[in-house]
Amino acid sequence: MSSLTAPGPAKVKGQGVKRSDLLPYLGSKLVAALVSFFVTLVIGFVIFSLMPADPVRTLTRGRPTSEAQLAQIRVQLGLDDPVWERFLTFVGNTLKGELGYSWQFQQSVSSLVADRLGPTLLLMGTAAVLSIALGLWLGIRSGWRHGSLFDRIASSASLTLWSVPTFWLGMILLVTFSVGIGPIPSLFPAGGMADPSLPQEGWTHVVDVARHLVLPCLTMVLVVFAQYVTVMRTSIIDEMGSPYLLTARAKGLTDDAVRRRHAVPNALLPSVTMIFMHLGILVSGAITVEAVYSWPGLGYLTYEALKIPDLPLLQGTFIVFSASVIIMNLLADVVYRFLDPRVRAQ
Amino acid sequence: MGTGNSRRRLALAACALSGSLLAGAGTFAAASAASAPQETTLRVKMSGSGVDTLNPFLAFFDGAYDVFASIYPTLNSLDENGKPGPYLAESWTPSEDKLTWTFKLRDGLKWGDGKPLTAEDAAWTLNLIMTDAVAGTANGSLVSNFESVTATDPTTLVIKTKAPQANVTYVSIPRSGIPIVPKHIWEPQAKNLKDIKNDTFPVVGYGPWTLTEYKPEQYAKFDANKDFILGRPGFDHMVQQSFKSTDAAVAALRSGQLDYINGVNPTQFKALQADKSLLTAQEVGNGWTGVEVNHNARTRTGKKIGTGHPALGDPVLRRAIALATDRKTLVTKVLDGMGMVGSGYLPPAWPQWSWKPAAGQETPFDLAQAGKILDEAGYTKGADGVRVDPKSGKSLELRLGIHSDDTYDAGISSYLKGWLETIGVKLKIQTLSMSALNSDLAKGDWDLLMDGWTTGPDPTFLLGIQTCATLPKDDGTGGNTDAFFCDKAYDELFKKQLTTFDQDERAKVVAEMQDILYKADVDQIHFYATTLDVARTDTVTGLITGQPDAQGMYPAQTTFWSYLKAAPPAAKTAAASAEEEGGGGPLWIGGGVLLLAIVGGGIVLRRRSGAGDRE
């Protein structure tokens, strides 16, 4: 039996949470989250400050720039400031909610992140919902009838896809469904988020974005869903020998009801952990998928920043990514308290 | 958990939503074609660098300069030989003492908002860059020798220079020069220039196109300027779409999403040559790829810096490395034949400056000769087969820095390693990011570095980075050099070419400079890669794509000419085109996915209707 599995469904549901217990619990978790956030800030700054960088020469390569111009640009970008001063500015700006000023795009990092957050959340969110739904469903079915033909097909297909490099799978789907092969015609756009020649609002735009979303989303789902299948399948198999399921069957419940009402809720906890971990890294996007399909999201913005390297932009995205992971961990702690009675008992 | 009824409603709603989406997918292309049956759009891939900012005073990326060349005017254009031609200016004359240039501008031109476009706009733009450090961020060096710029009347612009300057007509040319902006739009914003994003559409400008919409990392949309003085664009609209992966751009071209791509790789190019619906073309290279040699990095006062191998200061060793490099093989194997063997410092796209060593003066590929001159100079081989520098006693183990994201560098370095080890020089290949490579370069912490430069039609800047003035100061700052080259004769010629107003005579001076560089073996040019272009033949004609064996400049977008002259095939209407390219696809998708949605919804409903019984 899984160490996270509750002994029976009655204990998972139906117990209230005392308000007096909840507040200190939340407070301690919140303080821990804030400490984590500050530590990641320091680590992030140190890492990016240690990177070998001559952003001015890299930025200006290809344009005739004089020595005086290079010096002026260094001053404009704050590169002449000592490291300690840059660190204080960085922390101060972060506390004020400002993420700095991008060297290459010459605008605030916040506005750059805000522009790219929507596309990334759309792609990653859709892919996450689909892969969670597909993965859990397949995992439950496979685990409940492990060893069956369905199980063998589902398990081997998901593990095969999990092993495939995302970039390669993206290219195969691109060639197959965008260019078209043999009898398969060109079905979906090769890249971008919208067709510029169509109106950028209204129903037509929604449909257009949906069409552009299909291939990158499919690539993500095909690669990601396998881990939900694996974890859920294992959890269900662990549950199957439990006495409470025998009791449930003895009460005359159907096999379907035993699975859905008793086994699944108890087997769900490891998957919940994984879901929250995934939600945490959601905003960082998937660099490879965004690169293959030219999806204008945060993952690719980070890659662009690394090339220069655009330190304020890297630091800004690092803060956003770190914050999202920390917030999701915090939420996971809270949800766990509701789902698992042993957490409340601590 | 919901009841059976609520689940049923949800499934039905999902089916309805899918149906609506798909119905939309099936009809939007036809609707779009029907709404504008006569409008034509040229769809091209945006420059791979993308657009950093639309502010022309601050931008550095190629993608931004492609946009500026389309939407802002310049004093001069480039003619088909790559030499300055008329644009805003119809004529230009230097004074007797060569210190004053008088440009006569066209009369009657208007900015996109109807305000007159006069010499005052040009004077204001150039003066701002000369006097304001922020305004000079991107283009300050181009006007650093300007004493004053004045508009004496609406069609006369007078530029006075501090010293004679032969390249004044290159200062404001499309793409690599300074774009002229409307004074009445920018003057109120001049104090706040750093924060101007220039994203109010349509952008007020004057050029072959008007920028009507821009989404970062996605696309830029343009309308044709039907009154453009140098000719009306062949398309009504243009879209530059961003593709981060060339593979995806190729897929988009083949599926009809794009009409033209500039800059595919040789493998893609050869694969696309077999497709009869595509036109493949090669542009003569406007840049070189080669290796820089750190022949003892030093500061302006001669103080040695960095960790370069001391033996590279010996011309014999540099010569041996040059002799041990088979440039023909590099072109054949690394470029798949799509390039020219390198020799001169300036690339062949600009034939007025292109130089080759005289017959018999070329450095051949001769491993035996390389070994012989090293033997004669006392570089004896140790037990491990690696030679030892007789002066420092250090074995010839050299570091070769290559760009981590450059496939050419990876290919070249593996060949170089083999050739150099044959002559007793060991290579340690270091894969570095562009910024790490630049950082090492500035500090002199390297032996050999893979490098490459592209250039516009004026060679001044590229030649300038080989002058003594670009060496760093003693504190390590202020450098803008590539190979720490410093030669008095070269410096004298650099000054001379800047003051030689007869461009043919200037070319001779430039040739002498390239001869000095060639013989010094500090910038060993391997090849000039051709730029590989692909266009659809069914949707676009007239693009300037050049000839495979062309020796002249065949610009894709070195100026605006190619997109200006592009036109839809005469027999093709926009409506027919839309139906052919996009009309069938969405309908096909719509039908297929609608069927899936109905079947899926049916199964869900069926299962849910029996769920209660099963439980």
Side-chain angles (χ1 to χ4, degrees):
Chain A
M1 185 186 289
S2 162
S3 61
L4 285 171
T5 306
K11 291 188 177 181
V12 176
K13 294 178 182 178
Q15 282 194 1
V17 179
K18 286 181 186 172
R19 188 181 169 81
S20 56
D21 294 340
L22 182 62
L23 285 178
Y25 175 80
L26 275 182
S28 66
K29 292 290 175 189
L30 198 61
V31 169
L34 287 172
V35 171
S36 301
F37 183 62
F38 186 75
V39 171
T40 52
L41 275 189
V42 176
I43 292 172
F45 182 85
V46 170
I47 289 173
F48 294 126
S49 297
L50 289 178
M51 283 175 73
D54 188 3
V56 175
R57 274 191 69 112
T58 307
L59 274 171
T60 58
R61 195 132 179 113
R63 294 298 295 172
T65 36
S66 64
E67 183 193 327
Q69 243 173 306
L70 293 175
Q72 169 65 24
I73 296 167
R74 286 199 171 91
V75 172
Q76 275 176 222
L77 300 182
L79 290 168
D80 286 349
D81 299 339
V83 173
W84 63 267
E85 200 174 315
R86 278 192 269 159
F87 178 69
L88 289 182
T89 309
F90 168 65
V91 172
N93 283 344
T94 306
L95 292 178
K96 282 188 283 181
E98 295 168 8
L99 297 178
Y101 196 82
S102 162
W103 291 342
Q104 57 180 324
F105 295 102
Q106 311 206 34
Q107 59 176 295
S108 75
V109 172
S110 313
S111 63
L112 288 167
V113 169
D115 280 349
R116 272 80 169 172
L117 195 58
T120 286
L121 286 178
L122 177 64
L123 170 60
M124 298 299 290
T126 311
V129 168
L130 291 177
S131 47
I132 289 168
L134 181 67
L136 293 187
W137 182 78
L138 281 177
I140 292 166
R141 297 277 159 167
S142 298
W144 198 249
R145 303 196 194 294
H146 60 278
S148 67
L149 182 64
F150 179 89
D151 176 36
R152 290 203 301 273
I153 292 173
S155 300
S156 52
S158 55
L159 282 175
T160 304
L161 288 165
W162 175 243
S163 314
V164 166
T166 311
F167 184 82
W168 182 85
L169 182 64
M171 293 308 302
I172 294 296
L173 291 177
L174 187 74
V175 171
T176 308
F177 295 110
S178 182
V179 177
I181 289 181
I184 302 173
S186 171
L187 293 175
F188 298 104
M193 192 176 154
D195 183 344
S197 61
L198 294 174
Q200 299 302 304
E201 56 189 7
W203 193 236
T204 307
H205 183 56
V206 172
V207 173
D208 184 36
V209 171
R211 287 185 67 228
H212 283 78
L213 186 64
V214 171
L215 290 183
C217 190
L218 184 63
T219 308
M220 289 298 300
V221 170
L222 287 179
V223 174
V224 171
F225 85 97
Q227 51 193 317
Y228 291 108
V229 174
T230 313
V231 171
M232 199 64 212
R233 178 179 178 275
T234 310
S235 299
I236 287 283
I237 291 172
D238 281 348
E239 290 301 312
M240 285 184 73
S242 304
Y244 72 86
L245 293 185
L246 195 63
T247 311
R249 285 200 175 91
K251 281 159 64 182
L253 291 178
T254 62
D255 190 55
D256 200 36
V258 172
R259 187 185 78 238
R260 287 168 55 193
R261 291 186 180 173
H262 297 267
V264 170
N266 284 288
L268 208 54
L269 285 171
S271 297
V272 169
T273 311
M274 186 180 284
I275 288 169
F276 274 100
M277 279 169 60
H278 272 171
L279 292 179
I281 58 171
L282 203 65
V283 292
S284 61
I287 289 179
T288 46
V289 171
E290 290 187 1
V292 169
Y293 293 103
S294 308
W295 192 263
L298 279 176
Y300 206 81
L301 183 70
T302 310
Y303 174 72
E304 292 281 296
L306 272 168
K307 285 199 294 192
I308 298 295
D310 189 339
L311 294 188
L313 185 51
L314 281 176
Q315 285 167 349
T317 49
F318 181 77
I319 290 169
V320 173
F321 299 158
S322 307
S324 64
V325 171
I326 290 168
I327 290 169
M328 281 303 153
N329 275 334
L330 190 64
L331 281 177
D333 282 340
V334 175
V335 171
Y336 249 61
R337 196 178 154 82
F338 283 95
L339 287 183
D340 192 343
R342 283 165 302 177
V343 176
R344 287 197 298 275
Q346 283 173 1
Chain B
M1 284 191 177
T3 64
N5 278 339
S6 68
R7 281 191 198 130
R8 196 170 294 123
R9 280 197 297 274
L10 193 65
L12 284 170
C15 274
L17 180 66
S18 308
S20 305
L21 269 170
L22 298 166
T27 53
F28 77 90
S32 122
S35 63
Q38 300 304 319
E39 300 280 290
T40 54
T41 302
L42 174 66
R43 301 158 303 170
V44 302
K45 175 181 171 288
M46 186 180 276
S47 166
S49 71
V51 175
D52 47 350
T53 167
L54 288 176
N55 185 329
F57 296 100
L58 305 180
F60 285 112
F61 287 9
D62 282 350
Y65 280 86
D66 281 342
V67 171
F68 300 149
S70 297
I71 66 170
Y72 287 121
T74 46
L75 291 178
N76 292 93
S77 66
L78 284 181
D79 67 17
E80 59 189 19
N81 297 313
K83 295 178 179 173
Y87 189 173
L88 282 185
E90 288 180 297
S91 63
W92 47 93
T93 325
S95 62
E96 287 273 322
D97 62 2
K98 308 293 187 192
L99 288 171
T100 303
W101 287 75
T102 305
F103 286 80
K104 291 303 289 182
L105 271 54
R106 294 175 198 274
D107 195 11
L109 295 184
K110 288 180 178 172
W111 293 106
D113 59 359
K115 299 274 173 59
L117 195 177
T118 69
E120 182 57 33
D121 292 296
W124 183 83
T125 305
L126 296 176
N127 271 307
L128 186 69
I129 295 173
M130 286 159 57
T131 55
D132 184 297
V134 176
T137 298
N139 292 315
S141 69
L142 295 175
V143 292
S144 58
N145 187 42
F146 282 14
E147 179 76 44
S148 68
V149 181
T150 47
T152 54
D153 64 56
T155 59
T156 307
L157 185 77
V158 178
I159 297 175
K160 291 192 175 181
T161 58
K162 296 171 190 168
Q165 182 177 337
N167 66 345
V168 167
T169 48
Y170 288 98
V171 164
S172 177
I173 53 171
R175 206 172 180 287
S176 54
I178 295 174
I180 304 299
V181 300
K183 179 186 174 187
H184 65 279
I185 297 290
W186 285 87
E187 192 171 34
Q189 313 180 82
K191 284 182 183 170
N192 202 23
L193 210 55
K194 184 103 182 87
D195 299 320
I196 304 302
K197 290 165 76 176
N198 194 26
D199 57 357
T200 304
F201 303 105
V203 172
V204 177
Y206 179 86
W209 306 91
T210 301
L211 184 63
T212 55
E213 194 179 332
Y214 167 69
K215 283 199 174 177
E217 311 261 315
Q218 294 191 56
Y219 57 80
K221 290 171 76 171
F222 304 82
D223 282 349
N225 176 1
K226 293 172 182 171
D227 301 318
F228 186 55
I229 197 72
L230 298 176
R232 176 181 174 157
F235 281 89
D236 299 306
H237 310 282
M238 176 170 69
V239 170
Q240 293 186 4
Q241 194 166 353
S242 173
F243 279 89
K244 294 301 175 188
S245 143
T246 319
D247 291 313
V250 167
L253 184 87
R254 294 180 64 191
S255 62
Q257 198 181 336
L258 287 178
D259 300 318
Y260 170 71
I261 308 176
N262 171 235
V264 299
N265 66 41
T267 309
Q268 292 163 333
F269 188 81
K270 290 211 163 172
L272 295 172
Q273 276 180 315
D275 192 330
K276 301 293 178 199
S277 65
L278 302 177
L279 167 73
T280 50
Q282 301 186 39
E283 291 173 49
V284 173
N286 69 339
W288 56 258
T289 297
V291 68
E292 307 274 6
V293 182
N294 182 357
H295 60 298
N296 295 345
R298 58 204 179 284
T299 65
R300 285 173 211 176
T301 60
K303 182 182 155 194
K304 286 192 175 183
I305 59 168
T307 57
H309 198 295
L312 287 170
D314 182 357
V316 174
L317 176 57
R318 300 203 297 272
R319 181 76 179 157
I321 293 171
L323 283 166
T325 305
D326 183 359
R327 292 164 176 77
K328 281 183 190 165
T329 295
L330 293 180
V331 170
T332 309
K333 301 294 184 184
V334 177
L335 292 181
D336 216 356
M338 312 275 177
M340 294 166 68
V341 168
S343 51
Y345 185 63
L346 297 173
W350 313 106
Q352 65 270 45
W353 313 122
S354 187
W355 170 88
K356 281 182 181 174
Q361 298 291 308
E362 307 97 336
T363 305
F365 172 56
D366 191 338
L367 291 172
Q369 178 66 13
K372 189 179 167 207
I373 63 171
L374 288 176
D375 286 339
E376 288 170 359
Y379 292 91
T380 51
K381 282 188 180 176
D384 57 356
V386 179
R387 293 177 189 270
V388 177
D389 174 18
K391 288 179 188 164
S392 66
K394 291 178 73 174
S395 68
L396 294 187
E397 292 186 24
L398 305 177
R399 298 161 291 175
L400 171 65
I402 67 171
H403 296 85
S404 56
D405 58 349
D406 194 315
T407 51
Y408 288 169
D409 282 14
I412 292 168
S413 61
S414 60
Y415 281 103
L416 270 187
K417 187 176 172 65
W419 291 325
L420 292 188
E421 284 182 356
T422 307
I423 63 166
V425 176
K426 196 172 179 184
L427 268 196
K428 184 184 174 190
I429 296 169
Q430 297 178 327
T431 307
L432 301 166
S433 69
M434 172 69 107
S435 64
L437 204 119
N438 281 336
S439 179
D440 280 1
L441 189 151
K443 290 183 283 188
D445 288 340
W446 52 286
D447 297 322
L448 305 170
L449 280 185
M450 290 306 307
D451 199 8
W453 277 97
T454 56
T455 178
D458 179 34
T460 308
F461 174 70
L462 205 54
L463 293 169
I465 59 174
Q466 302 295 348
T467 59
C468 301
T470 60
L471 295 180
K473 297 175 195 164
D474 278 0
D475 63 1
T477 63
N480 196 20
T481 181
D482 253 10
F484 290 87
F485 186 70
C486 177
D487 180 274
K488 282 184 180 173
Y490 180 92
D491 275 16
E492 287 303 316
L493 289 168
F494 180 71
K495 286 178 196 161
K496 189 175 175 186
Q497 66 86 27
L498 261 180
T499 53
T500 305
F501 282 70
D502 181 317
Q503 296 295 319
D504 293 334
E505 286 300 314
R506 187 181 174 210
K508 287 178 187 167
V509 180
V510 168
E512 283 183 67
M513 298 171 74
Q514 295 186 78
D515 188 41
I516 290 174
L517 277 175
Y518 188 71
K519 287 174 179 163
D521 289 318
V522 294
D523 278 277
Q524 300 188 10
I525 312 295
H526 291 157
F527 54 65
Y528 317 106
T530 50
T531 304
L532 305 172
D533 301 340
V534 191
R536 290 193 70 87
T537 51
D538 56 343
T539 56
V540 60
T541 60
L543 284 160
I544 301 174
T545 49
Q547 301 295 321
D549 60 349
Q551 294 300 304
M553 183 199 72
Y554 286 92
Q557 279 313 303
T558 305
T559 58
F560 47 69
W561 293 112
S562 198
Y563 296 163
L564 180 71
K565 291 180 182 295
K572 202 170 190 82
T573 64
S577 170
E579 189 176 336
E580 211 170 280
E581 290 155 18
L587 283 171
W588 205 97
I589 304 161
V593 186
L594 184 60
L595 185 68
L596 277 176
I598 291 169
V599 171
I603 290 171
V604 170
L605 286 175
R606 186 175 164 74
R607 282 194 60 78
R608 290 293 173 256
S609 65
D613 298 338
R614 287 199 301 277
E615 290 170 11

